[in-house]
Amino acid sequence: MIESEMEAQGVKIDVSALNTKLDLIDQRANHLQLPNVYASSLYTPRGHIDLVCTRLAAMT
């Protein structure tokens, strides 16, 4: 969703708003409580969050 917003906004990107959204998603991911069996499943969304943060930083 955030990546789509980044592409839709193009050069008029609101970095602050998108960073706020990413922070919220990151906080939610940090507070997820999963059984140990599924703990490794958190690596995938966290990797995506980091990737989007990196892309956003590169656009500024």
Side-chain angles (χ1 to χ4, degrees), residues 40-54:
S40 64
S41 298
L42 283 177
Y43 288 107
T44 300
R46 288 197 138 153
H48 288 286
I49 292 168
D50 288 341
L51 177 65
V52 174
C53 284
T54 302

Side-chain angles (χ1 to χ4, degrees), residues 22-50:
L22 278 171
D23 287 341
L24 179 63
I25 292 169
D26 191 41
Q27 288 175 11
R28 287 182 174 176
N30 286 334
H31 289 94
L32 283 175
Q33 297 198 1
L34 298 174
N36 289 338
V37 173
Y38 300 107
S40 64
S41 298
L42 283 177
Y43 288 107
T44 300
R46 288 197 138 153
H48 288 286
I49 292 168
D50 288 341

Side-chain angles (χ1 to χ4, degrees), residues 1-39:
M1 175 179 81
I2 292 176
E3 287 177 296
S4 295
E5 286 184 48
M6 289 168 58
E7 291 177 17
Q9 291 179 13
V11 295
K12 298 179 182 179
I13 192 167
D14 186 351
V15 174
S16 179
L18 293 178
N19 271 325
T20 300
K21 289 180 182 183
L22 278 171
D23 287 341
L24 179 63
I25 292 169
D26 191 41
Q27 288 175 11
R28 287 182 174 176
N30 286 334
H31 289 94
L32 283 175
Q33 297 198 1
L34 298 174
N36 289 338
V37 173
Y38 300 107

